[in-house]
Amino acid sequence: MTKNVSIALSLLLGVALGATIPAARAQAPASERTAWYFYRVKWGHQDEFLELFKKNHYPVLKEQMGERLVGFKAYVPQFHGDGRADWTFATELVFKSDERFLAPSNEEAIARRLYPDFAKFREEEARRFEILDAHWDIPLREVPMQ
């Protein structure tokens, strides 16, 4: 009987711990920092902007994954007339920590390593910003609700 109780308690403990692990993983560590980056692309240049972003900037961001960044997502409005027309492309970057958020990004060194024709890279990045109407960054601070 004692052996059955021990087994039952062990199973119960295992189920309880297993149920709490996903919840613990779902909560971002307090040290992570999220920032949203908004872009308003000039009318008619959205595809060109997205192509340049994917070709040049996204690989630089991917190189920072794990070391500086722990998450990246990109967004466009579902419909062309959704809500305010303040932005046409947005990204969400999740930094590993406040320290990594505030530290230099080393993007130029990464780009020089990834793009042997660095002059062309710079030209295309200049074009990406040339076709913008606006760009702004918003570092976020989560507000606890409990």
Side-chain angles (χ1 to χ4, degrees):
M1 173 96 165
T2 306
K3 185 176 181 181
N4 287 341
V5 171
S6 295
I7 291 172
L9 286 174
S10 295
L11 286 173
L12 185 58
L13 180 62
V15 168
L17 285 173
T20 60
I21 289 171
R25 283 188 188 145
Q27 295 174 355
S31 63
E32 285 184 1
R33 170 65 68 150
T34 299
W36 291 341
Y37 298 80
F38 291 92
Y39 305 83
R40 186 173 60 230
V41 180
K42 290 180 182 177
W43 185 257
H45 294 279
Q46 183 71 21
D47 290 341
E48 180 184 6
F49 177 86
L50 190 54
E51 180 183 315
L52 289 169
F53 189 96
K54 285 179 177 179
K55 179 182 177 187
N56 293 318
H57 194 55
Y58 182 60
V60 172
L61 292 172
K62 280 185 8 181
E63 284 292 309
Q64 297 176 57
M65 281 299 207
E67 182 65 29
R68 183 170 190 241
L69 299 172
V70 294
F72 172 85
K73 292 180 183 178
Y75 301 92
V76 295
Q78 176 77 31
F79 302 108
H80 131 83
D82 267 357
R84 297 171 53 180
D86 289 350
W87 63 277
T88 54
F89 183 75
T91 60
E92 175 187 79
L93 276 67
V94 181
F95 293 84
K96 195 172 194 172
S97 65
D98 278 339
E99 179 182 280
R100 293 293 186 176
F101 171 72
L102 296 171
S105 67
N106 299 322
E107 286 185 7
E108 184 174 336
I110 294 169
R112 285 185 184 279
R113 186 170 35 82
L114 291 177
Y115 300 97
D117 189 348
F118 188 68
K120 181 178 180 186
F121 169 84
R122 296 286 300 249
E123 181 181 305
E124 289 178 348
E125 282 295 271
R127 174 63 182 159
R128 184 167 68 93
F129 280 92
E130 180 181 302
I131 60 178
L132 288 179
D133 276 332
H135 168 64
W136 60 99
D137 309 337
I138 304 176
L140 301 171
R141 183 178 52 83
E142 187 174 350
V143 177
M145 291 293 158
Q146 297 287 347

